[in-house]
């Protein structure tokens, strides 16, 4: 056999330093009848063949696929696999020979043929439709392997040819995906493989796992899916860590579609939390959090809180965040919700999400019947430990708001606690002086002291002294706050009680609040569309209201008014008539996938028409939380873009609190606006990245 072209000009028509032409010797070697020469040429082509060489030699390889020699056919099949990977458009060349090769009994040829068909189906929709016709033949081959065996020399640990079984199952998964008829053809066979395969050896476990993957991907019967989940449940009891990891990962994929079947293995999954292997315990944690629902939330939270106390530091943040999200979604009562958050803050306060403090204060503020209980619990927790900064911040806020309830000591839910004013002030001063306190924590404590000045019955001199000390604090934010509080004492003491009164009750955002807001918006639109009254007195009254409001565009076009007391009142007020407001820009939905939706709303300030404010709102109506959400944007060079920080990075499931982010776009030349967005987030424990361009922005947003 000759050598390959090296680009030195030794081949005809080769004069460059890089040559991709097919060497004449390789072409002639393939057409010779000498098997070793043909085999060597096929090996060379399958390892070094370029795209151009594959295109030139594809007809020769196709002929060799039907040669009588098994040695040549096997190498030709492997070469065809390389050609398909290199040049997918060659798929049509190798479709006819594959059907004939499926009748082969030679192990190497049959295994190579299954691999070739798999490559063809993954790269060509036409090939996928073509080979769905041979599903019954593949089912028969696999049934023969399971029942009678193929050949004893290819059996491993009592499992008949596991490599061929796995390859056929992989191909069946591709052919049955999104195809009802093919799925029905293979359902009985999959059940037979799942029940008859020996699980005492890794070879049998490999076949079973491939069977489970196939059942999960095709349109399988409900009973078959339960069988697949039970197989994974048995894998969780295996002594091999790799098999347990595979089972946890697969159950995590199934938990959304077969939640009840996976729930049966919840005790085993919870036991996996105690694994010493970090990857196993992390997967077990993710699956445990996915299994939490309204019926088992109390039991699961006990297990997860116990794990939080002893889990490795690198898992503590994920565990704490997962507990808080699950408690927010499935809390049976507000008191249970508060207790759960307090336990997390006490155990792993340094690892919670940034919004944990705001969520807990909002939750406590909206539960009036639990104000006394919350302030007593938080005071006790603060007295025991001031190192957990989120806990200290919530406790300081609660003591400042409801310190009078703490001093009364009337709380039926817990053991009565007798606290005097000096103890409360001393505890807050301890927080202020602690080297562990962050500047934000000191700000909470200073505000709490200021609020207690209106809730305590004693003298406020001690509070005034503490406030005056921080007037010279190095932290600018804390210094400004202290100066303002000191000014309130000295100049506006008569207004202090009104300014520092308790926060009003706040209701948490949720689907009900969103529905009420939607109804209010619809009512406002209906009222705007209603016809105006025709009576003269009513018209004059509306005109007067328009002038006083300064927000109606119709007021600019009214005819001269007759003198009347109402009109004279308008002239006496001498109020300027504002220009009509710009027409509202309609919102735009730009992205939707698996319940995750992205909407754009637009505002152009009248005082600066060249500026466009775009509010990005990300919502989530699916069953799984969206985490690590990042939205990036780009505009043409003629525009200037500034991205504000988003409101968070997690969108809870089932219509939870959305994420909002503000884009400021300066467009002085009123150029047509185009926006390119890049979204990255984790959903259903899978990383998602989407890059798309928005070209249908409303004309009002840039003209």
């Amino acid at each position: 056999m000759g050598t390959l072209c090296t680009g030195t000009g030794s081949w005809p028509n080769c004069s460059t330093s890089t040559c991709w032409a097919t060497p004449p010797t390789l072409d002639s070697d393939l057409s010779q009848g000498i098997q070793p020469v043909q085999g060597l040429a096929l090996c060379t082509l399958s390892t070094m063949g370029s795209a151009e060489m594959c295109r030139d030699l594809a007809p020769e390889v196709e002929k060799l696929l039907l040669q009588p020699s098994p040695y040549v056919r096997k190498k030709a099949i492997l070469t065809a696999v390389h050609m398909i990977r290199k040049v997918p458009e060659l798929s049509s060349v190798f479709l006819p020979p594959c059907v004939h090769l499926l009748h082969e009994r030679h192990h190497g040829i049959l295994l190579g043929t299954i691999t070739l068909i798999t490559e063809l189906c993954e790269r060509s929709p036409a090939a996928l439709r073509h080979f769905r016709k041979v599903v019954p033949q593949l089912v028969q081959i696999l049934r023969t392997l399971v029942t009678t065996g193929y050949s004893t020399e290819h059996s491993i640990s009592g499992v008949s040819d596991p490599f061929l079984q796995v390859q056929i199952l992989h191909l069946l998964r591709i052919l049955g995906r999104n195809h009802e008829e093919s799925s029905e053809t293979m359902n009985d066979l999959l059940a037979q493989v799942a029940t008859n395969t020996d699980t005492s050896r890794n070879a049998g476990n490999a076949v079973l796992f491939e069977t489970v993957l196939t059942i999960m991907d095709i349109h399988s019967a409900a009973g078959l899916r339960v069988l697949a989940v039970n197989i994974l449940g048995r894998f969780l009891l295996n002594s091999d860590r790799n098999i347990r990891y595979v089972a946890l990962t697969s159950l995590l994929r199934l938990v959304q579609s077969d939640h009840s079947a996976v729930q049966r293995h919840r005790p085993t999954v919870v036991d996996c939390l105690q694994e010493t292997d970090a990857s196993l315990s992390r997967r077990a944690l993710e699956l445990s959090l996915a299994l939490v629902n309204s019926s088992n939330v109390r039991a699961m939270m006990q297990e997860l809180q116990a794990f939080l106390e002893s889990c490795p530091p690198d898992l503590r943040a994920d565990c704490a965040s997962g507990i808080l999200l699950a408690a927010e979604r499935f809390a049976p009562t507000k008191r249970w919700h508060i207790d759960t958050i307090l336990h997390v803050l006490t155990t792993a306060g340094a690892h919670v999400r940034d919004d944990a403090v705001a969520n807990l204060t909002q939750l406590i503020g909206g539960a009036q019947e639990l104000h006394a209980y919350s302030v007593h619990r938080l005071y006790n927790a603060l007295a025991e430990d001031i190192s957990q900064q989120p806990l200290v911040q919530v406790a300081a806020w609660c003591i400042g708001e409801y310190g009078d309830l703490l001093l009364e000591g009337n709380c039926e839910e817990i053991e009565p606690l007798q606290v005097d004013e000096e103890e409360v002030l001393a505890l807050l001063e301890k927080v202020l002086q602690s080297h562990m306190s962050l500047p934000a924590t000191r700000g909470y404590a200073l505000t709490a002291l200021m609020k207690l000045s209106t809730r305590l019955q004693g003298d406020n001199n001690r509070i005034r002294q503490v406030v005056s000390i921080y007037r010279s604090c190095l932290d600018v934010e804390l210094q400004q706050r202290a100066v303002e509080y000191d000014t309130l004492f000295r100049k506006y003491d008569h207004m202090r009680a009104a300014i520092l009164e308790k926060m009003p009750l706040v209701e948490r955002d949720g689907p009900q609040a969103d529905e009420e807001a939607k109804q209010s918006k619809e009512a406002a639109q209906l009222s705007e569309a209603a016809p105006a009254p025709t009576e003269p007195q009513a018209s004059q009254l509306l005109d007067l209201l328009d002038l006083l409001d300064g927000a109606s565009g119709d007021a600019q076009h009214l005819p001269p008014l007759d003198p009347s007391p109402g009109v004279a009142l308008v002239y006496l007020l001498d109020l300027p008539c504002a220009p009509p407001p710009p027409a509202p820009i309609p919102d735009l939905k730009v992205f939707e996938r698996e319940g995750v939706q992205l909407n754009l709303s637009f505002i152009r300030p009248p005082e600066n028409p060249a500026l466009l404010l775009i509010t990005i709102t990300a919502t989530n109506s699916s069953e799984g939380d969206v985490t690590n959400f990042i939205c990036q944007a780009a505009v043409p060079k003629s525009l200037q873009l500034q991205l504000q920080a988003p409101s968070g990075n997690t969108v809870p499931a089932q219509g939870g609190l959305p994420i909002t982010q503000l884009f400021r776009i300066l467009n002085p030349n009123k150029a047509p606006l185009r926006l390119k967005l890049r979204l990255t987030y984790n959903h259903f424990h899978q990383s998602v990245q989407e890059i798309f361009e928005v070209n249908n922005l409303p004309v009002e947003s840039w003209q």
Side-chain angles (χ1 to χ4, degrees):
M1 175 181 168
T3 58
L4 289 177
C5 175
T6 59
T8 58
S10 58
W11 296 109
N13 302 324
C14 176
S15 59
T16 60
S17 60
T18 302
C19 176
W20 299 102
T22 303
T25 308
L26 191 59
D27 191 2
S28 61
D29 289 344
L30 290 174
S31 59
Q32 288 185 12
I34 305 174
Q35 294 184 16
V37 175
Q38 290 176 325
L40 187 57
L42 289 169
C43 289
T44 303
L45 182 58
S46 63
T47 54
M48 302 175 58
S50 64
E52 287 75 7
M53 294 172 66
C54 291
R55 291 189 182 94
D56 293 342
L57 298 177
E60 294 296 331
V61 175
E62 181 192 6
K63 295 177 183 177
L64 295 178
L65 288 174
L66 302 178
Q67 285 292 318
S69 170
Y71 171 80
V72 175
R73 274 184 292 170
K74 182 171 64 175
K75 292 189 177 298
I77 291 171
L78 297 178
T79 305
V81 171
H82 169 76
M83 287 182 166
I84 294 301
R85 292 173 179 171
K86 203 76 174 178
V87 188
E89 55 264 27
L90 293 177
S91 300
S92 58
V93 176
F94 300 106
L95 287 181
C98 288
V99 179
H100 298 286
L101 291 171
L102 280 177
H103 297 281
E104 286 287 342
R105 295 288 300 173
H106 188 279
H107 174 268
I109 294 177
L110 186 56
L111 183 59
T113 302
I114 299 297
T115 305
L116 177 58
I117 295 175
T118 302
E119 294 292 336
L120 289 169
C121 293
E122 287 179 340
R123 285 165 170 78
S124 171
L128 181 63
R129 292 190 297 269
H130 176 80
F131 285 110
R132 277 180 175 148
K133 303 174 184 177
V134 302
V135 168
Q137 186 176 352
L138 293 170
V139 168
Q140 184 58 42
I141 294 174
L142 185 56
R143 181 175 283 112
T144 303
L145 280 172
V146 175
T147 55
T148 62
Y150 190 80
S151 62
T152 56
E153 60 180 312
H154 297 108
S155 298
I156 300 177
S157 301
V159 180
S160 177
D161 204 342
F163 291 98
L164 185 57
Q165 286 195 54
V166 168
Q167 202 66 32
I168 294 176
L169 287 168
H170 184 199
L171 178 56
L172 289 176
R173 179 163 79 252
I174 296 173
L175 295 173
R177 188 180 298 149
N178 301 323
H179 196 258
E180 189 75 29
E181 183 179 352
S182 299
S183 300
E184 291 180 0
T185 305
M186 62 185 76
N187 271 340
D188 293 339
L189 173 67
L190 293 174
Q192 185 177 0
V193 175
T195 54
N196 294 340
T197 303
D198 182 18
T199 61
S200 60
R201 302 287 183 176
N202 273 346
N205 290 328
V207 173
L208 276 180
F209 180 63
E210 198 67 34
T211 304
V212 169
L213 293 181
T214 304
I215 293 173
M216 290 164 53
D217 274 7
I218 68 172
H219 293 285
S220 54
L224 199 56
R225 298 183 72 87
V226 173
L227 178 60
V229 173
N230 292 338
I231 292 173
L232 295 175
R234 292 202 303 270
F235 281 177
L236 290 178
L237 302 175
N238 198 292
S239 58
D240 192 322
R241 292 181 178 179
N242 294 323
I243 294 178
R244 294 203 300 273
Y245 181 84
V246 164
L248 289 170
T249 304
S250 302
L251 287 173
L252 197 56
R253 291 178 53 195
L254 279 172
V255 71
Q256 298 298 331
S257 58
D258 299 271
H259 189 82
S260 58
V262 180
Q263 279 286 355
R264 298 190 185 99
H265 305 279
R266 179 161 51 90
T268 311
V269 173
V270 172
D271 290 340
C272 292
L273 289 172
Q274 307 305 324
E275 292 280 356
T276 56
D277 189 287
S279 58
L280 278 175
S281 55
R282 182 178 294 277
R283 275 287 181 264
L285 173 62
E286 294 173 354
L287 182 55
S288 298
L289 291 171
L291 289 175
V292 178
N293 56 28
S294 56
S295 61
N296 63 17
V297 62
R298 292 182 184 270
M300 287 297 294
M301 286 299 107
Q302 289 181 358
E303 299 287 352
L304 291 170
Q305 288 174 10
F307 174 69
L308 180 63
E309 296 176 358
S310 59
C311 70
D314 57 335
L315 287 181
R316 191 157 292 182
D318 293 337
C319 183
S321 299
I323 291 175
L324 293 180
L325 287 173
E328 186 175 355
R329 289 179 58 188
F330 305 112
T333 63
K334 287 186 177 180
R335 175 173 171 175
W336 181 91
H337 193 183
I338 292 173
D339 288 341
T340 302
I341 299 179
L342 287 181
H343 186 275
V344 173
L345 294 181
T346 305
T347 308
H351 301 275
V352 298
R353 301 182 307 173
D354 296 337
D355 59 349
V357 174
N359 288 342
L360 182 53
T361 54
Q362 188 180 17
L363 176 63
I364 294 174
Q368 185 176 7
E369 68 280 6
L370 296 175
H371 287 171
Y373 172 77
S374 301
V375 72
H376 279 80
R377 282 289 311 274
L378 285 165
Y379 179 82
N380 290 334
L382 184 61
E384 294 177 1
D385 183 16
I386 63 171
S387 63
Q388 304 286 357
Q389 295 302 292
L391 174 67
V392 177
Q393 293 172 10
V394 176
W397 177 87
C398 200
I399 291 173
E401 289 294 327
Y402 314 117
D404 51 339
L405 301 178
L406 177 64
L407 296 175
E408 291 176 3
N410 297 327
C411 184
E412 299 178 356
E413 289 84 356
I414 60 176
E415 184 178 351
L417 179 67
Q418 298 298 327
V419 183
D420 58 27
E421 298 179 0
E422 294 299 322
E423 291 177 348
V424 177
L425 296 179
L427 183 57
L428 291 175
E429 289 181 16
K430 181 181 177 182
V431 172
L432 284 169
Q433 298 167 6
S434 173
H435 68 280
M436 296 181 291
S437 296
L438 299 173
T441 305
R442 291 192 174 97
Y444 274 96
L446 192 63
T447 302
L449 283 173
M450 194 64 187
K451 289 204 168 189
L452 287 177
S453 67
T454 64
R455 290 153 174 74
L456 303 182
Q457 303 299 325
D459 192 5
N460 291 325
N461 287 332
R462 183 173 179 176
I463 298 176
R464 297 186 64 170
Q465 291 175 2
V466 174
V467 170
S468 62
I469 291 174
Y470 284 89
R471 292 179 58 189
S472 56
C473 179
L474 294 178
D475 185 85
V476 177
E477 176 69 24
L478 199 58
Q479 181 190 96
Q480 178 181 355
R481 189 169 299 187
V483 169
E484 293 171 351
Y485 292 161
D486 186 68
T487 304
L488 194 60
F489 268 123
R490 291 186 294 104
K491 295 185 178 181
Y492 305 99
D493 195 62
H494 61 287
M495 302 172 58
R496 180 165 48 86
I499 293 175
L500 300 175
E501 64 182 4
K502 291 183 180 180
M503 293 286 291
L505 296 178
V506 291
E507 292 295 335
R508 307 201 71 197
D509 295 335
Q512 183 177 2
D514 295 340
E515 185 66 24
E516 292 177 356
K518 181 179 179 181
Q519 293 178 357
S520 301
K521 183 177 180 180
E522 292 176 353
Q525 293 175 350
L526 289 175
S527 63
E528 291 176 0
T534 56
E535 291 80 8
Q537 293 181 356
S539 300
Q540 292 179 4
L541 178 59
L542 289 175
D543 296 341
L544 176 60
L545 292 176
D546 286 338
L547 288 174
L548 288 174
D549 192 26
S552 173
D554 296 335
Q556 300 297 317
H557 309 288
L558 292 175
L561 299 175
D562 295 332
S564 65
V567 177
L569 176 61
V570 176
Y571 292 152
L572 287 175
L573 291 174
D574 196 20
L575 294 176
C577 198
I585 305 175
D587 295 347
L588 181 64
K589 181 173 74 173
V590 296
F591 176 78
E592 186 171 11
R593 172 178 172 175
E594 297 179 346
V596 181
Q597 185 172 315
L598 198 70
N599 295 318
L600 308 184
S601 58
F602 309 89
I603 296 179
R604 294 181 68 179
E607 64 275 8
N608 188 4
L611 178 64
L612 174 65
L613 304 178
I614 302 180
T615 301
I616 305 289
T617 304
T619 58
N620 179 16
S621 60
S622 69
E623 298 292 333
D625 297 328
V626 172
T627 58
N628 300 326
F629 183 89
I630 299 175
C631 179
Q632 298 172 307
V635 295
K637 294 182 179 180
S638 60
L639 282 67
Q640 298 180 16
L641 172 64
Q642 181 183 7
L643 304 183
Q644 302 290 342
S647 60
N649 65 350
T650 299
V651 190
Q654 296 180 339
L657 189 66
I659 291 178
T660 58
Q661 186 175 5
L662 181 64
F663 293 175
R664 298 170 59 90
I665 300 178
L666 191 60
N667 186 8
N669 300 324
K670 296 185 177 181
L673 181 58
R674 292 183 295 110
L675 196 63
K676 191 171 185 178
L677 298 178
R678 176 182 178 182
L679 305 180
T680 57
Y681 58 88
N682 293 331
H683 196 201
F684 294 134
H685 306 282
Q686 293 183 354
S687 179
V688 178
Q689 178 173 321
E690 293 285 348
I691 301 177
F692 54 93
E693 190 166 338
V694 183
N695 295 319
N696 58 337
L697 292 168
V699 179
E700 299 88 346
S701 63
W702 53 271
Q703 276 192 352

